[in-house]
Amino acid sequence: MRSSAGARFPYALAGRRAAPGLHVRLNVLTRQTEVVDGIALRTHLQPIYSLPHQREVGYEALLRGETGGGALVGPFDLFGRAIVAGKLTELDRMSHLAHLRNAAAMLPAAQWLFININPATFTKPGYAARLASATREAGLAPERLVIEVLESGGTDVEDISRATRAFRAQGFLVAVDDFGAGHSNIDRLITLRPDIVKLDRSLVRARSAHMRDALMPKLVDLLHESGMFVVAEGIETGEDLMLAARSNVDFVQGYLFGMPSAQLAERGAATPLFEDVFDALAQMRRTERLAGDLLLLPYRAGLTQAARRFASGATTESACADLLALPCTLSCFFLDQNGREFLPGLAGSAAIAPSERFAPIADPSTGRWDNRPYFVDAHAKPQQVVTSAPYLSVTGTSLCVTLTVAMQRAGKPVVIGADLDWRRLSQAAPSVF
């Protein structure tokens, strides 16, 4: 990210006045790179930590300008001037050399330096080789640099993909920045196949806690399955760090660990934060498992009893009467070996009348459900009650958990199951403790 403070500056500014004219002079790498109107390019560093390693694994180089009086100029103003003067790419390249000059000697061994790059610079033919040469001249192997590109919707995905291959061929790692904001989408990301994906802070700080907590772990799992490491940006509170840990992200970055600085972070300063969140997470998971077991205990017992009665020849109504009467039971259902309902389902005490808006999906009787995990898992463990993860029922709008058990009735394999209202059930969790 270009700046950790506030909104990211755009590459096209609308309605913002910038100082006219940008005159630049670029000297050799070992000397000062500066703007001739008196603004020298400086590097501030923000640490990036590995959650499982519980230590810093690199730093992001953030551009700052310094006037003759020592006052700092933010990247928004610096790049605003460059845009007005038509020298955006030139300033972008200068920033890379400035970061190499300013940070290469400071970078600890076996750590990465993350630098930002404009898409137009990134896709320029031959730039990967030139930057690799400059990196070696600065005393770093290209493998030590992570090139962060903002995968904007205005840049052709094939151009970005070709550039990604070119930079990777030089030894660089490539990261897509701000994923989850603007024009980014999974399809473009899978085409680019970067080494690292940096999740936009909007995902961490989403207003809907339920959507955030549900989306983040699944998104991280998808990225991991696609062969990409994940960085969560914008970690500012312990709650943000807890979300990152629960979501199994690889790396974290944000104000919780300190502001960007011209100096390196103190080694091990963030370790207590990681210890606290991992301890809290372990305790939370133990509590959730215990609460879940206790909350589901009567329903699992009820399904076990219903299965025994049903296997002995009882009617569905009499077999499931006790289970249907429990306060969070939505329904009981009966599937044959092909996953089809061979007897009508029964409504439980928590059942609600189907909404007209969802009438097309309200009737499950014609469906085939043998591809559902609760069906597959039940057949993998016959005679045992299995519990699904919470999910949105395709036959309505309820967030539910399904209990199933595979058994024999009249010599034929069947699955008997119960859908439970998970929101209503989980609301009772605090009373358990």
Side-chain angles (χ1 to χ4, degrees):
M1 61 185 173
R2 289 284 183 185
S3 171
S4 294
R8 176 174 306 277
F9 63 88
Y11 286 118
L13 302 179
R16 179 175 176 88
R17 297 178 62 86
L22 180 75
H23 306 284
V24 298
R25 181 175 74 249
L26 181 61
N27 297 322
V28 295
L29 183 62
T30 54
R31 298 178 59 192
Q32 178 160 299
T33 303
E34 64 179 7
V35 178
V36 272
D37 59 6
I39 302 177
L41 301 185
R42 302 299 187 210
T43 300
H44 279 202
L45 298 167
Q46 187 172 42
I48 296 174
Y49 295 88
S50 166
L51 270 175
H53 293 90
Q54 298 197 350
R55 58 174 169 79
E56 59 270 38
V57 292
Y59 286 84
E60 180 171 358
L62 302 167
L63 189 65
R64 300 290 185 266
E66 185 177 311
T67 66
L72 290 180
V73 180
F76 192 101
D77 287 332
L78 288 172
F79 280 88
R81 295 166 184 249
I83 290 169
V84 171
K87 296 183 178 293
L88 175 60
T89 299
E90 187 172 355
L91 180 59
D92 198 38
R93 292 178 178 180
M94 288 176 62
S95 72
H96 303 155
L97 297 183
H99 292 324
L100 288 171
R101 186 196 70 245
N102 297 334
M106 300 172 58
L107 189 67
Q111 290 195 17
W112 290 311
L113 181 66
F114 290 68
I115 65 171
N116 294 273
I117 190 168
N118 181 281
T121 309
F122 185 69
T123 55
K124 191 73 172 177
Y127 187 64
R130 290 196 294 275
L131 185 58
S133 177
T135 301
R136 295 187 188 96
E137 185 181 344
L140 288 180
E143 288 79 4
R144 300 280 301 281
L145 258 65
V146 180
I147 310 299
E148 291 189 32
V149 58
L150 182 63
E151 198 280 288
S152 63
T155 306
D156 183 77
V157 68
E158 289 302 326
D159 290 342
I160 294 282
S161 185
R162 280 192 293 271
T164 298
R165 292 193 294 271
F167 274 85
R168 191 178 284 121
Q170 294 293 333
F172 297 110
L173 285 85
V174 177
V176 164
D177 199 9
D178 283 357
F179 183 77
H183 298 277
S184 59
N185 60 63
I186 289 289
D187 180 62
R188 290 172 70 91
L189 195 65
I190 298 302
T191 300
L192 300 181
R193 302 195 67 81
D195 302 289
I196 297 172
V197 177
K198 300 189 80 173
L199 301 180
D200 186 71
R201 70 186 64 212
S202 63
L203 293 174
V204 174
R205 311 202 68 80
R207 292 183 180 179
S208 170
H210 172 70
M211 288 297 294
R212 177 196 64 199
D213 294 346
L215 175 63
M216 277 280 286
K218 293 179 175 59
L219 176 59
V220 172
D221 284 345
L222 176 61
L223 296 174
H224 282 164
E225 290 170 8
S226 301
M228 306 170 199
F229 292 112
V230 181
V231 181
E233 295 184 296
I235 304 298
E236 299 180 1
T237 67
E239 182 181 354
D240 296 341
L241 184 57
M242 176 63 76
L243 172 63
R246 289 190 67 137
S247 302
N248 198 31
V249 304
D250 304 290
F251 313 119
V252 289
Q253 176 182 6
Y255 288 166
L256 180 63
F257 313 109
M259 303 291 287
S261 169
Q263 306 301 320
L264 297 179
E266 180 184 349
R267 187 81 180 201
T271 300
L273 292 172
F274 297 124
E275 284 293 315
D276 288 348
V277 79
F278 272 77
D279 288 345
L281 185 57
Q283 179 60 40
M284 182 184 299
R285 284 174 172 157
R286 286 193 294 269
T287 300
E288 287 176 346
R289 284 195 296 269
L290 179 58
D293 289 344
L294 292 174
L295 291 170
L296 291 171
L297 186 61
Y299 297 89
R300 292 175 63 88
L303 181 59
T304 299
Q305 182 185 59
R308 288 173 181 163
R309 291 174 176 174
F310 189 60
S312 299
T315 64
T316 55
E317 290 83 357
S318 61
C320 300
D322 294 338
L323 178 57
L324 292 169
L326 293 175
C328 296
T329 303
L330 292 166
S331 66
C332 287
F333 57 86
F334 312 88
L335 306 178
D336 64 19
Q337 61 184 347
N338 295 317
R340 299 186 185 278
E341 287 198 358
F342 67 95
L343 290 171
L346 303 174
S349 63
I352 57 176
S355 166
E356 286 296 323
R357 294 186 300 155
F358 297 101
I361 59 173
D363 181 8
S365 62
T366 61
R368 180 170 171 174
W369 310 100
D370 57 325
N371 67 326
R372 295 291 175 171
Y374 55 73
F375 183 91
V376 175
D377 293 344
H379 276 289
K381 299 178 180 179
Q383 305 298 324
Q384 298 181 42
V385 176
V386 299
T387 306
S388 77
Y391 67 99
L392 182 64
S393 171
V394 75
T395 59
T397 58
S398 299
L399 189 66
C400 72
V401 162
T402 298
L403 306 180
T404 47
V405 58
M407 48 175 286
Q408 295 277 328
R409 176 181 165 93
K412 294 182 179 180
V414 299
V415 169
I416 178 173
D419 289 334
L420 312 179
D421 187 330
W422 179 246
R423 286 198 179 98
R424 184 171 178 180
L425 190 65
S426 58
Q427 286 171 357
S431 65
V432 173
F433 299 97

